[in-house]
Amino acid sequence: MRFERASMAEEIEEIRRQKLAELRNQAETGGAGESDWQSPSEPIHLDGGAELSDTVAEHDVVLADFYADWCGPCQMLEPVVETIAAETDAAVAKIDIDANQQLAAEYGVQGVPTLVLFASGQPAERLVGMQDEAQLRSVIEKHV
């Protein structure tokens, strides 16, 4: 057990060193450049309405995935959502309904997974249940 903890601590320290080097490089080059204007290539895990509002304000199209860890269809949807984040112009936000019950209620989430597509700062589409990649791409393309 001690070896695992030491190994994990070493990994965390290496990640910290890499991140510090990235931040220093960004500071020296005046920021991240054009990548600031692109959608993230991985889902963004949000906690709370303020983070969702900031994300929706920052990106033209945001696909918000309201999910729960215990939800089988949510787990099946996860790789699809990750692909959508990596390959489309939409930012993908993941919101755990158990940790964000008030936010889920605010958006009328009664079953999971529920996907809400925001376009130009407003909810534009709502999809409930398991979705395939083609369906999500089609919905996003209507709003990009």
Side-chain angles (χ1 to χ4, degrees), residues 35-114:
S35 65
D36 287 344
W37 303 107
Q38 297 175 353
S39 293
S41 61
E42 295 181 357
I44 308 162
H45 290 267
L46 302 181
D47 189 25
E51 287 186 20
L52 178 59
S53 294
D54 290 347
T55 301
V56 168
E58 190 174 319
H59 303 282
D60 290 336
V61 177
V62 176
L63 181 65
D65 175 13
F66 289 88
Y67 75 98
D69 289 333
W70 47 262
C71 165
C74 298
Q75 293 170 7
M76 291 176 6
L77 185 62
E78 190 166 349
V80 174
V81 169
E82 289 173 353
T83 300
I84 293 296
E87 298 179 4
T88 70
D89 290 333
V92 175
K94 294 195 55 81
I95 302 154
D96 181 346
I97 63 159
D98 291 326
N100 295 281
Q101 292 178 5
Q102 184 175 351
L103 184 59
E106 186 178 321
Y107 284 94
V109 175
Q110 295 181 350
V112 285
T114 294

Side-chain angles (χ1 to χ4, degrees), residues 22-33:
E22 286 175 28
L23 292 171
R24 285 183 178 149
N25 185 37
Q26 285 178 1
E28 290 170 4
T29 61

